[in-house]
Amino acid sequence: MCLGIPGQITEIVDADNLIAKVDVGGVKREVNIACIVDDEHPAKSCVGDWVLVHVGFAMSRLDEEEAARTLALLEELGDMQAELDTMRQMEGQA
Amino acid sequence: MKYIDEFRDPVKAKKLVDEIHKLATSAALVERSQSQPLQIMEFCGGHTHTLFKYGIESMLPDTIEMVHGPGCPVCVLPMARVDDCVAIAEQPGVIFTTFGDAMRVPGTRKSLLQAKADGCDVRMVYSPMDALALARKHPDREVVFFALGFETTMPSTALTLLQAQREGLKNFSLFCNHITTPATMRAILTDPDLRLDGFLAPGHVSMVIGVQPYAFVAHDYHKPLVITGFEPLDILQAMWMLVKQLAEGRCDVENQYARIVPEAGNTAGLHAIHAVYETREHSEFRGLGNIGDAGVQIRAAYAGFDAEKKFNVQAASSSHDPAHLKCADVLRGVMKPWECPAFGTSCNPQTPLGALMVSPEGSCAAYYAYGKLAKRSA
């Protein structure tokens, strides 16, 4: 019920009523963007934004940096572990 | 697809699973899980669905047990409320619109799907805005939208109502059955039958309400909580974060899903929610009974858009499930679906008796679909 899906805004259809077109995995549909615009990020600057779409509304702008950070952290987790394992093995041998 | 595929990477998943196993063998957690496995509740039905779809539970150590929470709005909907929907749909001239999830939920008389078969004009819509479009198109009909769901969905219905007001539409109303997450969580935390060790909190509710509303879970109840997304790596990373907190003896509110969940939530969405909705005095949940302040209703200022007022619906009276159905105990997480005598026999996805078997997010439907009758047969 609370599911959402990431999509990219391709055009602003109606700036007054805050309606934009979003591409979700190749499917295009109009969504309401009232929840992702403010004075600093008006409707016209939304084209190209990745957003989370839920029941016809763009509910959140995807933070690309945070997404990258999460993935990098997962990458590091394994690398660090591999290093620690190697260290332990070396210790065992010494 | 971007922002989906990379969060399903099996190599990264394996690393996380290994880390969780290592933490589970730490002295602190071995001792803690001696009498019973750690009880971690995933509150949200969407998380339940991910856990089953990817077989995540079977990857976890035996010392961790997932408890499936009540975060599935159709599952906690009392049967009497479905009866109210049907009663509204039966009014002459009404077009009753709803999300697909609610169509097959049994009422005491019938489901909305049966009402449709019996001649009522019941229509499934993708968005409340689609219901509004129907109201524009049919000025001679009364269009009612069944507003259901937690905070994730509340901004969409509130904004739709405000749009209807701006347009001066007189034939559109909401039948409001929204419920709020923190109040529901508090009800679970005060349930003496449940002894939870921590929570996975719903990512999309949190993108609306932010991080702070969960502070009481750590502060008042001393349980760790991690907000998480819906891809397998999200859930596994959140499990790792949660188990790490337990191993280190911490209880904090952490946010694994920062790419979607801003610390303060969604300002415009919260503004719309507070403009349109207010706390309802009494709310009944299937399984949890009266949980006081979890429900919301439409403010008096918008009475013209409130289907309860328009159609004079009385707030649902208490309706108990038949005694042989154990939905309530399964919902509260104190009983597993297969322990219910009706599970898989008289109650199945073709002829569901309870909502947990209807919704793909309900734990009974998930256990049934993925053939998982018991994690540990012992």
Side-chain angles (χ1 to χ4, degrees):
Chain A
M1 181 104 203
C2 282
L3 292 184
I5 187 158
Q8 193 171 26
I9 294 179
T10 56
E11 63 173 285
I12 304 303
V13 177
D14 179 349
D16 294 336
N17 286 312
L18 299 173
I19 306 293
K21 192 159 273 183
V22 62
D23 181 326
V24 179
V27 178
K28 294 201 171 155
R29 135 144 221 148
E30 285 184 5
V31 298
N32 182 301
I33 53 169
C35 288
I36 58 154
V37 294
D38 55 32
D39 292 343
E40 284 168 27
H41 195 79
K44 60 174 194 262
S45 58
C46 288
V47 173
D49 283 354
W50 278 87
V51 294
L52 190 101
V53 179
H54 170 70
V55 300
F57 286 72
M59 292 301 305
S60 184
R61 273 210 308 277
L62 239 140
D63 188 326
E64 303 204 21
E65 274 176 37
E66 286 291 354
R69 201 170 300 156
T70 300
L71 291 168
L73 195 126
L74 294 180
E75 200 76 56
E76 261 171 41
L77 178 74
D79 291 348
M80 209 172 75
Q81 205 52 51
E83 230 165 274
L84 283 173
D85 288 346
T86 318
M87 268 171 61
R88 275 196 208 101
Q89 279 167 9
M90 302 282 270
E91 249 174 49
Q93 284 165 12
Chain B
M1 271 174 69
K2 196 172 173 190
Y3 295 118
I4 291 187
D5 295 339
E6 58 267 52
F7 291 95
R8 294 182 183 173
D9 177 358
V11 178
K12 290 194 178 72
K14 175 76 172 55
K15 286 178 192 169
L16 281 166
V17 170
D18 290 348
E19 291 304 311
I20 294 169
H21 276 265
K22 268 182 212 148
L23 284 171
T25 55
S26 67
L29 289 190
V30 168
E31 196 192 320
R32 189 164 176 163
S33 56
Q34 232 160 21
S35 54
Q36 73 163 3
L38 296 172
Q39 306 281 302
I40 308 293
M41 174 175 277
E42 89 280 7
F43 179 85
C44 174
H47 287 154
T48 308
H49 189 76
T50 303
L51 284 175
F52 279 92
K53 187 172 170 194
Y54 294 95
I56 290 175
E57 273 189 281
S58 61
M59 301 174 198
L60 298 175
D62 282 350
T63 48
I64 299 176
E65 193 169 276
M66 301 307 295
V67 180
H68 313 305
C72 158
V74 301
C75 303
V76 295
L77 190 68
M79 286 177 128
R81 226 40 193 166
V82 179
D83 294 345
D84 293 340
C85 289
V86 171
I88 294 172
E90 283 172 345
Q91 302 290 315
V94 165
I95 301 176
F96 193 91
T97 58
T98 172
F99 293 132
D101 314 42
M103 282 294 271
R104 296 176 64 226
V105 180
T108 58
R109 287 171 53 213
K110 53 174 97 168
S111 68
L112 281 166
L113 190 68
Q114 286 160 329
K116 185 181 169 73
D118 292 343
C120 294
D121 193 346
V122 179
R123 304 188 194 184
M124 264 196 275
V125 290
Y126 162 70
S127 166
M129 290 300 250
D130 297 341
L132 191 66
L134 279 172
R136 285 188 205 110
K137 198 175 154 193
H138 301 284
D140 54 327
R141 307 278 303 271
E142 272 294 331
V143 175
V144 182
F145 180 73
F146 186 25
L148 182 67
F150 285 94
E151 291 91 332
T152 315
T153 312
M154 286 168 72
S156 69
T157 57
L159 287 164
T160 303
L161 184 151
L162 294 170
Q163 177 74 22
Q165 188 196 39
R166 266 197 301 279
E167 294 180 25
L169 287 172
K170 302 277 184 234
N171 65 328
F172 178 81
S173 59
L174 298 178
F175 182 43
C176 176
N177 284 271
H178 286 303
I179 41 184
T180 55
T181 304
T184 309
M185 246 178 206
R186 193 182 287 275
I188 292 166
L189 282 162
T190 50
D191 188 329
D193 291 340
L194 276 176
R195 277 175 309 174
L196 298 173
D197 294 288
F199 282 98
L200 294 183
H204 292 157
V205 162
S206 309
M207 83 184 160
V208 174
I209 68 173
V211 175
Q212 196 280 330
Y214 300 108
F216 76 95
V217 176
H219 190 264
D220 300 349
Y221 294 93
H222 311 292
K223 310 285 183 197
L225 179 147
V226 180
I227 296 165
T228 184
F230 296 85
E231 296 304 330
L233 283 189
D234 289 324
I235 302 251
L236 283 170
Q237 188 184 17
M239 281 301 291
W240 170 66
M241 290 164 76
L242 200 60
V243 175
K244 197 156 186 284
Q245 284 201 41
L246 289 168
E248 292 169 1
R250 288 185 295 125
C251 52
D252 296 317
V253 174
E254 294 180 320
N255 181 10
Q256 178 275 334
Y257 202 31
R259 67 184 186 278
I260 291 288
V261 177
E263 190 77 16
N266 187 289
T267 311
L270 286 171
H271 188 77
I273 290 176
H274 293 138
V276 171
Y277 299 117
E278 62 186 4
T279 304
R280 201 187 276 272
E281 224 172 281
H282 292 290
S283 265
E284 200 201 335
F285 268 29
R286 198 169 184 176
L288 296 166
N290 188 340
I291 58 165
D293 57 352
V296 300
Q297 61 192 12
I298 295 170
R299 288 184 188 274
Y302 300 103
F305 301 95
D306 188 345
E308 255 174 78
K309 303 237 165 67
K310 237 181 190 176
F311 298 94
N312 197 23
V313 175
Q314 303 301 317
S317 55
S318 183
S319 63
H320 292 290
D321 294 338
H324 66 286
L325 291 182
K326 303 294 180 194
C327 305
D329 288 341
V330 175
L331 253 179
R332 288 159 61 226
V334 298
M335 182 185 261
K336 299 290 179 191
W338 69 84
E339 292 168 337
C340 172
F343 177 79
T345 53
S346 56
C347 185
N348 60 66
Q350 282 72 44
T351 52
L353 298 177
L356 286 164
M357 191 58 97
V358 176
S359 166
E361 293 175 7
S363 50
C364 295
Y367 272 89
Y368 191 96
Y370 294 98
K372 199 166 149 241
L373 296 181
K375 185 185 177 189
R376 293 169 199 95
S377 39

